[in-house]
Amino acid sequence: MSMFLDQVTIDVKAGKGGDGMVAFRREKYVPDGGPAGGDGGHGGDVILVVDEGLRTLMDFRFNRHFKAQPGENGMSKGMHGRGSEDTYVKVPQGTTVRDAQTGALLGDLIEDGQTLVVARGGRGGRGNIRFASPRNPAPEIAENGEPGQERKIELELKVLADVGLVGFPSVGKSTLLSVISSARPKIGAYHFTTLVPNLGMVTTSDGRSFAAADLPGLIEGASQGVGLGTQFLRHIERTRVILHVIDMSGMEGRDPYEDYEAINHELASHNLRLLERPQIIVANKMDMPDAQENLEKFKEQLNKNKEDEFADDIPVFPVSGVTRKGLDALLNATADLLEVTPEFPLYEEEIEEETVHYGFNPDEPEFTIDRNSDATWVLSGEKIEKLFQMTNFDHDETVMRFARQLRGMGVDDALRARGAKDGDLVRIGEFEFEFVE
């Protein structure tokens, strides 16, 4: 089984806020002590944090549920509950985070130590000390803590590499990476030896360095799910320079130029912006018979089919991964190209489009009313359900406050307009009460 995981869906749940308390001062020689119930503490957040020591999402293979701790409940003598500590979840560099239900981009984590709050903890409920007023100096009112945010998120890893090696299977990408870096990918004389991306640090003869990734071989139709390409094309998106490795020996009966065109077509089909990245053509296996002749034909076709006659020629470097001939020139040219090639932002436009604007939205209803088959009226909606969850039904005064809040939201009038009669059952979640005219 492959020990590489680059896409996973996890569940995160922030901590609930602590409940506020109803309490009163009871001290000797202090008459009419008044309310003394403290507030609950804030629930913990769930936060993703980048750990440069991680290379895959394998840590999420068996653990996909992350839950932060709730805040401490309020106490007597006006003491507030302690807020809970946040829960940190480590992810590798290059992790993209999306909401699994809406598909909205939540963040792109690329720097070591970078954090992203994916679920916010609920605020603590207020104790009765907060509800004291001249009209009601001894209130028996307290709030439950606000529920913590709960959501399902998708994590997608796109390997952080400066240079990506692409090409058909068995063109020598793994051999090339093993020669130019200390990486030791599996090398075999059969297609799809490479099943996962391999990353290696490359140092040039003049002391410069960059990260290179050897990606699983692409075939025609990879962008539509053929072969392994559909799983790993995403890793090319972060690279700044593409090394297009081509087998110039033609040993398998394929035409090098047709291979070159086919791979570029798959890159464009996956993401048209991949063709914006500068390419260097690596004419590999030049130690084989017929390689030099095939190289001359390849260059002729390349010049013949240029779309813009004034555009710069795509550099072609004849090399041999076995004899290491031509590698120094290739690596130095790659380092030169990296120095003048900027990073390509992946999500700049998407982030701008999904900027959240906070404000009053009159089109969004505070609640909805449905009728069950058992003739029960069912109230639902984010605001009304949160109000219900934060109501402490152990005290009559709090229940009366909840009834006033529902009336203020227009629930009574809406039920009456729908035909509710005195004595009908109304349900919010698991809680049922009678409708009273």
Side-chain angles (χ1 to χ4, degrees), residues 145-192:
E146 182 184 23
Q149 191 176 13
E150 186 174 2
R151 72 199 314 181
K152 194 181 290 286
I153 61 173
E154 292 178 350
L155 305 180
E156 185 180 35
L157 175 63
K158 297 182 179 181
V159 170
L160 280 176
D162 302 306
V163 176
L165 278 65
V166 302
F168 269 84
S170 297
V171 295
K173 300 186 301 296
S174 296
T175 301
L176 195 61
L177 183 67
S178 69
V179 171
I180 64 177
S181 74
S182 58
R184 291 295 173 262
K186 182 179 179 181
I187 300 171
Y190 54 89
H191 287 193
F192 300 116

Side-chain angles (χ1 to χ4, degrees), residues 57-347:
L57 297 173
M58 280 301 298
D59 287 354
F60 300 98
R61 184 180 173 193
F62 299 112
N63 183 17
R64 301 194 180 189
H65 302 273
F66 299 90
K67 184 178 179 181
Q69 294 299 311
E72 193 175 28
N73 293 336
M75 293 166 281
S76 59
K77 298 184 179 179
M79 292 188 293
H80 301 324
R82 180 179 301 166
S84 177
E85 292 185 0
D86 298 329
T87 296
Y88 287 87
V89 181
K90 294 180 180 179
V91 296
Q93 289 178 288
T95 301
T96 299
V97 188
R98 290 184 180 275
D99 187 289
Q101 292 183 327
T102 65
L105 178 69
L106 303 180
D108 190 25
L109 305 176
I110 57 176
E111 297 179 6
D112 183 39
Q114 186 177 351
T115 60
L116 175 67
V117 179
V118 291
R120 297 193 176 277
R123 68 172 178 84
R126 292 175 291 178
N128 69 331
I129 198 172
R130 299 290 188 185
F131 294 94
S133 67
R135 291 184 58 187
N136 188 5
E140 290 190 21
I141 301 175
E143 290 178 333
N144 289 338
E146 182 184 23
Q149 191 176 13
E150 186 174 2
R151 72 199 314 181
K152 194 181 290 286
I153 61 173
E154 292 178 350
L155 305 180
E156 185 180 35
L157 175 63
K158 297 182 179 181
V159 170
L160 280 176
D162 302 306
V163 176
L165 278 65
V166 302
F168 269 84
S170 297
V171 295
K173 300 186 301 296
S174 296
T175 301
L176 195 61
L177 183 67
S178 69
V179 171
I180 64 177
S181 74
S182 58
R184 291 295 173 262
K186 182 179 179 181
I187 300 171
Y190 54 89
H191 287 193
F192 300 116
T193 310
T194 303
L195 298 176
V196 301
N198 295 297
L199 200 63
M201 287 302 299
V202 180
T203 303
T204 64
S205 57
D206 55 6
R208 292 176 292 177
S209 61
F210 55 85
D214 155 36
L215 303 170
L218 302 178
I219 60 177
E220 290 184 73
S223 57
Q224 277 73 48
V226 181
L228 299 175
T230 185
Q231 301 176 44
F232 301 108
L233 273 167
R234 68 174 68 95
H235 298 293
I236 307 174
E237 294 180 22
R238 290 204 191 275
T239 60
R240 289 190 289 150
V241 172
I242 293 177
L243 294 187
H244 196 143
V245 185
I246 298 174
D247 179 3
M248 280 296 164
S249 68
M251 290 180 59
E252 297 187 4
R254 295 203 307 259
D255 180 78
Y257 188 78
E258 290 180 1
D259 284 1
Y260 170 74
E261 290 280 280
I263 295 299
N264 277 341
H265 175 73
E266 296 307 322
L267 295 179
S269 298
H270 175 70
N271 186 343
L272 190 61
R273 295 198 64 185
L274 289 179
L275 296 186
E276 297 175 4
R277 284 139 178 78
Q279 282 193 21
I280 293 178
I281 297 174
V282 182
N284 197 22
K285 301 187 181 182
M286 292 302 296
D287 56 310
M288 303 297 290
D290 301 327
Q292 188 61 43
E293 182 181 344
N294 290 336
L295 177 60
E296 297 302 325
K297 293 180 181 178
F298 178 86
K299 288 182 176 180
E300 287 179 10
Q301 288 177 292
L302 194 65
N303 292 326
K304 180 181 177 182
N305 295 326
K306 280 179 62 174
E307 294 183 2
D308 183 359
E309 60 178 329
F310 299 105
D312 294 334
D313 293 335
I314 299 176
V316 180
F317 285 85
V319 303
S320 170
V322 176
T323 64
R324 306 195 179 196
K325 183 179 179 181
L327 292 182
D328 283 345
L330 169 64
L331 299 183
N332 287 329
T334 303
D336 292 340
L337 193 54
L338 282 171
E339 288 178 356
V340 297
T341 303
E343 293 186 2
F344 294 85
L346 298 184
Y347 304 105

